[in-house]
Amino acid sequence: MRPRVLIPADRIASRVRGLGATIARDLAGGRDAPLLVLALLDGGFCFVADLARALPLPDVEIAFLRTSSYRGGTRSTGVVEREPVPSVAGRCVLIVDDILDTGRTLAAVRGDVLRAGAAAVRACVLLDKPARRIDADGRADYVGFTIPDVFVIGYGLDHAGSFRHLPDLCVLDEG
Ligand code: IMP
Ligand code: MG
């Protein structure tokens, strides 16, 4: 299987800077506690590292939450395994994930965050694959790129644990 570039690193970088500016403008100020960025791992690790540094805010907290629904395949198993959310009561929480696919992951985590007493919840994904949406509660307020129904790797996204290190976002072609 060969990776073919879908979105090159420089386009990702400029889009992430734009997202950071928009999010900072929308979510700045008026709160007792800083914005809490809740980064979903493993796939979101590159995106959140870049997005966090593109937020021109004086104070931001970052917490990490491991989620999993793929078990090494290229199709979601439908069951979202996830860690318990950290303390979020009264906070404005920005959930950050690599990709919005069926929507089950964001729906599950958003539910957990709301049940844990967050004052406000927003979600930001680098990629959106609307063709595969199953759960309408899995929606994002901020989207980097909308892509067709292809399996993508690179920039943190993996296939069976491989390819996360690629700087470009790529499609895995057979052969
Ligand atoms: P959802 O719960 O189906 O929306 O899936 C979201 C999760 O599945 C993301 O956090 C990714 O980790 C993973 N995922 C979905 N599509 C892809 C893909 O094309 N490549 C790699 N991982 C993906
Ligand atoms: Mg993920």
Side-chain angles (χ1 to χ4, degrees):
M1 291 197 278
R2 283 174 296 108
R4 171 173 55 84
V5 175
L6 183 69
I7 306 174
D10 59 341
R11 264 189 78 204
I12 297 173
S14 73
R15 184 70 185 115
V16 171
R17 280 193 296 274
L19 283 172
T22 303
I23 290 168
R25 196 186 57 224
D26 288 358
L27 304 184
R31 297 176 209 287
D32 299 333
L35 176 67
L36 176 60
V37 170
L38 185 58
L40 305 191
L41 300 177
D42 299 333
F45 84 99
C46 287
F47 180 42
V48 78
D50 289 341
L51 182 68
R53 287 177 294 173
L55 288 173
L57 293 171
D59 197 0
V60 172
E61 270 181 44
I62 307 179
F64 302 90
L65 194 78
R66 206 156 200 188
T67 67
S68 161
S69 54
Y70 268 57
R71 293 179 179 277
T74 60
R75 289 290 174 195
S76 168
T77 59
V79 178
V80 182
E81 293 169 16
R82 57 204 191 271
E83 294 178 326
V85 294
S87 165
V88 296
R91 303 291 297 273
C92 177
V93 178
L94 178 70
I95 303 168
V96 175
D97 202 3
D98 50 359
I99 184 166
L100 177 52
D101 185 31
T102 64
R104 289 188 182 114
T105 301
L106 273 189
V109 174
R110 176 187 277 107
D112 290 351
V113 169
L114 285 170
R115 277 189 294 277
V121 185
R122 300 285 183 273
C124 176
V125 293
L126 178 70
L127 305 163
D128 183 9
K129 261 195 246 180
R132 298 206 354 109
R133 197 79 78 254
I134 288 169
D135 193 328
D137 285 339
R139 56 183 184 280
D141 304 277
Y142 305 98
V143 172
F145 302 95
T146 299
I147 62 168
D149 183 12
V150 289
F151 193 81
V152 285
I153 52 163
Y155 194 68
L157 291 98
D158 74 308
H159 177 250
S162 288
F163 306 114
R164 293 190 198 276
H165 69 298
L166 299 176
D168 305 308
L169 193 84
C170 300
V171 177
L172 209 48
D173 285 332
E174 302 286 333

